[in-house]
Amino acid sequence: MNSLVTDAQKAGERVGLTFDRITIDGGVPLRGRIEVRGAKNLVTKAMVASLLGESSSLLRGVPDISDVRVVRGLLEVHGVKVSEGTEPGDLILDPSNVVTAHMADIDAHAGSSRIPILFCGPLLHQLGEAFIPDLGGCRIGDRPIDFHLDALRRFGAVVDKLPSGIRITAPNGLHGAHIELPYPSVGATEQVLLTATRAEGVTELRNAAIEPEIMDLIAILQKMGAIISVEPNRVIFIEGVDKLEGYTHRAIFDRNEAASWASAALATGGDVFVGGAKQEHMMTFLNVFRKVGGKFDIYEDGIRFYHPGCALKPVVIETDVHPGFMTDWQQPLVIALTQAEGQSIVHETVYENRFGFTDALIEMGADITVHKHGLEGGDRRVPRRDLEQAAVVVGPTPLHGADVVVPDLRGGFSHLIAALTAEGRSTVSNVGIISRGYENLAAKLEALGARFVLEG
């Protein structure tokens, strides 16, 4: 648990978040309006993409979260000048003086982030070499980087594993490759896109991820001068170009944060307007939200999520890659399912260890059983995977306050929702890690009427 606390403290410090505990007096419905800005899963990759350009880029709608600070620090140690623009959330990224960074500097800025692996393709094009330290991230299951390294080798890179990390070079430059992913991984797709755009020749990527954040990254690369064709059946062709220019782009909204606040509204019996949320990229979530019994109204400037005022209904959820139900959505929604009448089942098919957060929920009174090898049978839409798990949630069960420790980003926000839902007082520790993906957390809780105290 000490490593988790260290990660959280580092994450919090990067955004000026000095507290590590929050005490919540629950049982109060969340009501009010909050705003979401650019998606964590897009803005950090868009910042890396600026390395590929020969002129400055302007990225708009950037949230003030620790993952953004991590990438900014990594860009700056590589010589990229990063400055704020005229509007809040604007970042100007000037890559005109890119240099090789020392492994110690990279490690110091990376912390627990896995983002350095995505620097490799752009740095190989700019400098002919790249260094990455040991990689961390949320402890939600195995996230191997072997595919990233294998893909870079396919492009012509040479990978040398050192005691302090990994050195990657491209003595003969990078060339197009034919790559088929065993699973439509978002990170692997990003790696191929960022590497292939300036590789000589054509790259064919099969079984690619097609999440909205991937499409937004492709839009950015096209603005920079890339030639990328998205074909049916998860096939992407990238024709390498000699050079790319900077871009101006407003990031897609953070659908994960929007879904988290929607789940909080439902679990607490509240009414939350999420400004900046868009229907198009949340349709799968909205369908499940409605099946549970939640209500929502679509507006031009956001989505209102609210409790129906009557009993919630149980559902069966299968997480999947886009356009399926996101794995990041299931954890916050599980809190609402503890208040539904009957048995809900959540099949987690993306990560093999994403139900660790339920231990604290059980301590708070939830009736949840985790099946570590999944459940057989049933009318399944998503093909069964060897690594999958399942959680059976029986409700409604009143939750009571408890002292809990945040295990990871989405699980941590789920613990906050549980504490807000529960009767009595809860203390949630290790909350700094939540700053990786949620901007202005305290201000948003205050705006929604939550009763809480931050502690150092």
Side-chain angles (χ1 to χ4, degrees):
M1 196 64 69
N2 288 337
S3 60
L4 284 175
V5 173
T6 300
D7 286 351
Q9 290 174 339
K10 287 182 178 179
E13 288 168 1
R14 289 192 177 96
V15 292
L17 191 65
T18 57
F19 65 88
D20 192 51
R21 282 192 308 182
I22 182 170
T23 299
I24 295 174
D25 289 320
V28 178
L30 297 184
R31 299 184 186 277
R33 174 171 180 148
I34 55 94
E35 303 289 329
V36 294
R37 287 204 278 188
K40 175 182 83 75
N41 291 340
L42 178 275
V43 294
T44 50
K45 319 309 164 50
M47 292 170 71
V48 175
S50 71
L51 274 170
L52 292 163
E54 296 188 2
S55 56
S56 295
S57 293
L58 171 59
L59 181 59
R60 292 197 151 121
V62 179
D64 186 13
I65 56 176
S66 65
D67 271 19
V68 167
R69 295 294 181 90
V70 167
V71 179
R72 178 172 182 164
L74 288 168
L75 288 171
E76 289 175 337
V77 299
H78 283 97
V80 177
K81 182 180 179 182
V82 184
S83 56
E84 282 77 28
T86 56
E87 297 180 10
D90 281 2
L91 277 188
I92 300 169
L93 307 114
D94 180 1
S96 56
N97 293 302
V98 176
V99 296
T100 300
H102 295 291
M103 188 79 80
D105 292 333
I106 298 172
D107 193 33
H109 283 274
S112 63
S113 172
R114 291 171 177 266
I115 198 73
I117 190 67
L118 294 177
F119 275 67
C120 294
L123 288 175
L124 287 172
H125 289 301
Q126 291 280 43
L127 302 172
E129 65 178 357
F131 298 90
I132 54 173
D134 291 335
L135 300 177
C138 282
R139 289 159 174 80
I140 55 176
D142 191 21
R143 283 180 166 181
I145 66 166
D146 287 346
F147 173 79
H148 291 267
L149 301 178
D150 290 342
L152 290 166
R153 292 187 184 99
R154 297 284 296 276
F155 284 109
V158 176
V159 178
D160 295 312
K161 296 187 177 181
L162 310 174
S164 56
I166 301 172
R167 179 174 184 261
I168 304 171
T169 56
N172 300 312
L174 299 177
H175 53 74
H178 295 275
I179 298 171
E180 182 165 1
L181 303 182
Y183 183 77
S185 160
V186 169
T189 300
E190 292 164 342
Q191 180 70 259
V192 172
L193 289 171
L194 291 168
T195 305
T197 49
R198 285 185 55 186
E200 182 180 356
V202 177
T203 295
E204 178 183 358
L205 174 61
R206 291 188 169 273
N207 204 24
I210 55 172
E211 271 67 6
E213 294 80 11
I214 292 288
M215 295 298 105
D216 212 31
L217 178 60
I218 290 174
I220 287 171
L221 293 170
Q222 187 180 60
K223 287 181 177 181
M224 299 177 75
I227 302 173
I228 303 173
S229 302
V230 180
E231 305 291 335
N233 300 319
R234 299 185 177 273
V235 177
I236 299 176
F237 288 97
I238 307 105
E239 298 180 36
V241 297
D242 292 333
K243 67 176 184 177
L244 296 172
E245 301 296 336
Y247 62 81
T248 297
H249 189 81
R250 184 171 295 278
I252 186 176
F253 81 100
D254 197 315
R255 59 201 178 109
N256 290 341
E257 183 179 2
S260 295
W261 289 114
S263 298
L266 190 59
T268 64
D271 187 337
V272 176
F273 188 98
V274 181
K278 303 291 183 184
Q279 176 185 14
E280 178 185 1
H281 300 311
M282 294 192 70
M283 294 184 77
T284 303
F285 176 83
L286 294 175
N287 285 337
V288 174
F289 192 81
R290 177 168 282 163
K291 288 180 180 179
V292 176
K295 299 289 187 180
F296 59 87
D297 298 328
I298 309 294
Y299 295 89
E300 186 174 336
D301 61 339
I303 304 176
R304 175 193 174 200
F305 298 94
Y306 54 101
H307 191 281
C310 56
L312 300 181
K313 294 172 280 190
V315 293
V316 175
I317 298 171
E318 301 169 61
T319 65
D320 197 9
V321 295
H322 186 78
F325 192 90
M326 287 188 67
T327 179
D328 288 325
W329 292 339
Q330 63 93 344
Q331 288 170 296
L333 192 60
V334 161
I335 314 303
L337 295 182
T338 67
Q339 306 307 301
E341 293 192 348
Q343 176 180 284
S344 297
I345 301 175
V346 180
H347 298 277
E348 173 56 58
T349 75
V350 179
Y351 290 124
E352 69 272 32
N353 191 26
R354 203 147 207 179
F355 286 127
F357 77 104
T358 61
D359 291 342
L361 304 185
I362 295 169
E363 183 181 344
M364 298 175 80
D367 183 348
I368 302 175
T369 304
V370 175
H371 298 264
K372 294 185 177 181
H373 303 289
L375 288 172
E376 298 289 348
D379 184 14
R380 293 288 300 275
R381 184 187 64 84
V382 180
R384 180 177 170 83
R385 300 184 70 204
D386 290 339
L387 57 73
E388 74 174 47
Q389 294 186 324
V392 177
V393 184
V394 179
T397 54
L399 301 182
H400 55 76
D403 294 339
V404 298
V405 180
V406 168
D408 59 72
L409 175 59
R410 306 299 170 193
F413 196 89
S414 301
H415 287 166
L416 284 183
I417 298 175
L420 292 163
T421 304
E423 292 293 336
R425 177 167 293 182
S426 297
T427 299
V428 185
S429 302
N430 197 35
V431 294
I433 203 169
I434 300 175
S435 70
R436 287 191 52 227
Y438 294 89
E439 180 185 40
N440 299 330
L441 178 63
K444 290 176 179 177
L445 288 173
E446 186 174 357
L448 297 176
R451 299 182 301 190
F452 65 96
V453 176
L454 306 178
E455 302 177 48

